Amino acid sequence: VTGAVPSCRRYVAGGRCKSTAKLEGKVVIITGANTGIGKETARDLARRGKVIMACRDVSKAEAAASEIRAETGNQQVIVKKLDLADTKSIREFAEEFLAEEKELHILINNAGVMLCPYSKTADGFEMHLGVNHLGHFLLTFLLLERLKQSAPARIVNVSSLAHHGGRIRFHDLQGEKSYNRGLAYCHSKLANVLFTRELARRLQGKFQRQVEFTANSLHPGSVSSELVRHSLVMTWLWKIFSFFLKTPWEGAQTSVYCAVAEELESVTGQYFSDCQPAYVSPRGRDDETARKLWSVSCELLGIQWD
């Protein structure tokens, strides 16, 4: 039995990013980097290059950043305020970043909310859709030119296996007719996969060499993190089954892999889990839905993104 425990734990831990790639002189933005997977992603990438932690809770983020600076010896770990539930905050963050930084090589759209009771963002979007999809959609749009100028560049969108349970309900995107917080999360994670797919398709058309610019999404695994804080039942289950959950460090491995692995230099529009390509649901491969979601997202955000 003693032999079975470590091997079971190893199975749960999943894939590891083996790349030792350095990011000297490179700039990385990670959203939601003050806790969980985001914090561990920041910790790893801080050993390689400059990291900007884009977080809603600045004091929590500063505490995480000083811990990471002390541990890695990298003073270029910087905290910036970003509230993805407010497009004004997203625009302010982007404006400040563009004024201060001449380059951006990696954007990791990691932040997310899960199982929220029905609520709306500052702009009236349903919270899961607003934060997990629309917030990152707008952020990516605002930073895209800087990423292009800094190419080769990568965009990494943290989705979830939960995308299998999602559907894009165009007739009720804001969940006003019917709302289930578990499904709302699934819908938003499917939106992440579709956004990545359509973004990769559009970027490929723009560049002769697709190596320049990649966009991939991923499932981090079932991770023991604060993401379930809105649900007492899930918090309780997470505690009971913690042995079968990944640690935040294990959960961050695929994000790090998508950000730095040399073999992914020209891989785009893919979905990964445990540091390898993974199965995408049929809904996540529907190009027509992806295109429609793109134009509806632009409409909702009042932007033109061709």
Side-chain angles (χ1 to χ4, degrees):
V1 176
T2 48
V5 171
S7 63
C8 170
R9 194 55 221 126
R10 262 200 310 279
Y11 175 75
V12 169
R16 292 193 176 184
C17 175
K18 297 186 174 73
S19 169
T20 55
K22 285 278 173 246
L23 300 172
E24 280 127 358
K26 298 205 168 176
V27 181
V28 183
I29 290 177
I30 307 169
T31 67
N34 59 346
T35 179
I37 301 167
K39 183 179 173 185
E40 292 307 322
T41 305
R43 193 193 307 271
D44 181 293
L45 297 182
R47 294 195 173 91
R48 306 170 193 253
K50 180 172 184 172
V51 173
I52 291 169
M53 298 166 67
C55 305
R56 192 184 45 160
D57 187 331
V58 174
S59 58
K60 220 173 169 187
E62 284 294 359
S66 60
E67 179 192 311
I68 291 169
R69 284 192 287 262
E71 192 182 307
T72 61
N74 181 1
Q75 293 312 301
Q76 290 198 300
V77 178
I78 297 159
V79 171
K80 294 283 178 198
K81 182 166 175 64
L82 170 67
D83 183 355
L84 288 158
D86 184 351
T87 57
K88 188 166 168 279
S89 169
I90 299 169
R91 289 179 180 279
E92 281 166 6
F93 168 84
E95 212 170 293
E96 196 176 312
F97 172 82
L98 295 171
E100 290 171 8
E101 299 288 342
K102 291 296 153 252
E103 295 195 296
L104 174 59
H105 304 89
I106 300 167
L107 171 62
I108 302 179
N109 290 318
N110 162 83
V113 294
M114 181 182 182
L115 303 173
C116 306
Y118 190 77
S119 55
K120 289 190 167 180
T121 68
D123 302 88
F125 306 134
E126 185 276 314
M127 194 59 74
H128 293 91
L129 183 82
V131 171
N132 299 355
H133 169 59
L134 292 170
H136 283 129
F137 187 93
L138 178 61
L139 180 66
T140 306
F141 167 74
L142 296 171
L143 298 175
L144 198 72
E145 280 311 309
R146 189 58 38 97
L147 281 156
K148 280 181 185 172
Q149 292 157 8
S150 314
R154 299 185 189 192
I155 295 167
V156 178
N157 294 325
V158 179
S159 178
S160 167
L161 185 67
H163 84 270
H164 285 273
R167 55 175 56 205
I168 306 300
R169 301 162 68 246
F170 290 109
H171 65 287
D172 187 24
L173 264 188
Q174 310 305 341
E176 286 162 334
K177 294 177 185 147
S178 71
Y179 181 76
N180 172 300
R181 54 192 186 167
L183 286 176
Y185 176 71
C186 296
H187 302 332
S188 71
K189 292 288 114 181
L190 173 60
N192 292 155
V193 172
L194 291 168
F195 167 45
T196 307
R197 189 179 178 88
E198 181 63 8
L199 178 61
R201 188 185 71 77
R202 285 164 178 258
L203 292 174
Q204 256 178 297
K206 294 273 193 299
F207 291 106
Q208 278 1 93
R209 296 175 304 151
Q210 72 182 73
V211 174
E212 292 284 273
F213 211 141
T214 64
N216 292 300
S217 61
L218 66 102
H219 166 55
S222 298
V223 178
S224 178
S225 75
E226 290 176 23
L227 198 55
V228 293
R229 65 184 175 274
H230 291 292
S231 165
L232 275 174
V233 175
M234 287 295 280
T235 305
W236 182 68
L237 286 170
W238 245 226
K239 281 196 170 79
I240 294 174
F241 294 107
S242 61
F243 180 79
F244 298 102
L245 296 173
K246 289 186 177 185
T247 64
W249 182 85
E250 289 160 355
Q253 292 304 299
T254 308
S255 295
V256 173
Y257 174 74
C258 288
V260 304
E262 296 86 345
E263 65 267 32
L264 298 188
E265 246 167 39
S266 57
V267 175
T268 191
Q270 300 300 306
Y271 169 76
F272 293 85
S273 176
D274 282 328
C275 301
Q276 56 190 16
Y279 179 73
V280 178
S281 78
R283 286 198 189 105
R285 285 176 273 138
D286 186 333
D287 290 329
E288 200 181 318
T289 303
R291 278 195 287 275
K292 188 172 175 186
L293 178 64
W294 185 283
S295 63
V296 169
S297 300
C298 287
E299 244 167 78
L300 289 168
L301 292 163
I303 59 175
Q304 278 196 301
W305 188 355
D306 300 322

